Amino acid sequence: MDVVALGESMVAFLPSRPGRLADVPSFDRAIGGAESNVACALAAAGHTARWVGRVGADGFGDHLVERIAGYGVDVTSVSRDPARPTGVYFRTAGDRGTGAHEVAYYRAGSAASAMSVTNVDLPAVRAGRVLHLSGITAALSPECGALMRTLTEARPGRPLLSFDVNHRPALWPTPEGPLTLLHLARRADIVFVGEDEAEEAWGITGGPEAIRAALPEPGVLVVKQGEKGATAFERCRRTATPPTFEPALHVDVVATTGAGDAFAAGFLSGTLRGLPLRARLRLGHLFAAAGLTTPGDLAAPPARDHADRLTALDDTAWGRLRLAPGWTQAERATQEANTP
């Protein structure tokens, strides 16, 4: 496998119209999960991908496994729990960054929260060039935390370890949660963290350089800076290179949910292809733009030749791009065709 991703996936219920959860009359069913989102995006981009997780022996578990497999992801190592349910959540149509946004999670006691070193197929998890994990899993239960510590241990033959911090304050019942995330990040090879979540979790306010000072261990550190862009630090043969900043694209945003997972998938796609750091960042932005211009948690990335052509644009043309819903299905993005 090119990449293996382990974590909880849930059935997501998306509102049929804007409004409070109390007022929305119906919902459309979808799927969501940080790690499986990455696996699905990478599979859609032509990589071999496996998702390892645990779902209930119920209809929602069937739906999750079938939908994720539909993206071309290997799901043969997903286990079923006869005693615990598949997690579900409901959310409003409003942007996550507004006060009107609501999310109702029903994941306590889920099948995924029972993942442990004894019931997960560890050889299958370690059988990829890249192993992608996130901080969400560590918060689900003590057993999941122990599993994460085991998977991030330094050991001969360990896959390239990718870790998305994904700080979710509501999942951590004690103040030790942020320290757990910092500890796990320091054991990874590639780390993704938002500038805002580094401040929220660890109190770091000095920008990307200050975050790098707190996380010197990973070979690659990617600091996501929202609408501004992203800064990446890379250490080559034990020598640090200057940070690389790549501005984000102008996007007509439909929904922000899942954009961070899409960015990670784009960056990892470039990593698997051996692309330069700047191209990896641009692929992250393009995959994120695909997610930002669709309403669900998951969006098909642009075709490889389309993405490569946009990645190769000069700085001026890159800065002029504006991507709207449907741009990944177009042979050429309309705005690009109209750019002088």
Side-chain angles (χ1 to χ4, degrees), residues 134-268:
S134 94
I136 293 173
T137 304
L140 297 180
S141 68
E143 293 78 13
C144 284
L147 174 63
M148 290 288 287
R149 290 191 295 274
T150 297
L151 292 176
T152 57
E153 287 175 349
R155 52 175 285 158
R158 190 184 81 171
L160 190 72
L161 183 61
S162 167
F163 181 72
D164 193 336
V165 172
N166 257 326
H167 179 231
R168 298 289 186 267
L171 289 178
W172 292 102
T174 65
E176 286 75 31
L179 293 178
T180 297
L181 296 177
L182 188 62
H183 176 68
L184 293 171
R186 285 174 169 162
R187 302 170 82 168
D189 301 302
I190 302 172
V191 172
F192 301 94
V193 63
E195 189 174 29
D196 54 348
E197 67 180 340
E199 179 178 356
E200 183 179 36
W202 305 318
I204 302 173
T205 58
E209 288 75 13
I211 298 171
R212 182 54 163 173
L215 277 170
E217 297 88 355
V220 176
L221 172 67
V222 181
V223 180
K224 298 174 289 184
Q225 297 168 268
E227 296 180 354
K228 289 172 55 181
T231 298
F233 300 83
E234 185 171 37
R235 187 175 59 252
C236 300
R237 297 180 182 178
R238 299 185 179 181
T239 301
T241 58
T244 298
F245 172 78
E246 195 60 37
L249 292 159
H250 301 287
V251 178
D252 294 338
V253 176
V254 173
T256 59
T257 308
D261 305 328
F263 181 94
F267 189 92
L268 291 177

Side-chain angles (χ1 to χ4, degrees), residues 273-305:
R273 295 171 60 194
L275 299 182
L277 187 58
R278 181 169 180 264
R280 284 176 264 162
L281 285 170
R282 284 195 170 188
L283 279 177
H285 288 317
L286 287 166
F287 277 47
L292 289 167
T293 51
T294 57
D297 287 15
L298 262 172
R304 181 171 293 188
D305 59 345

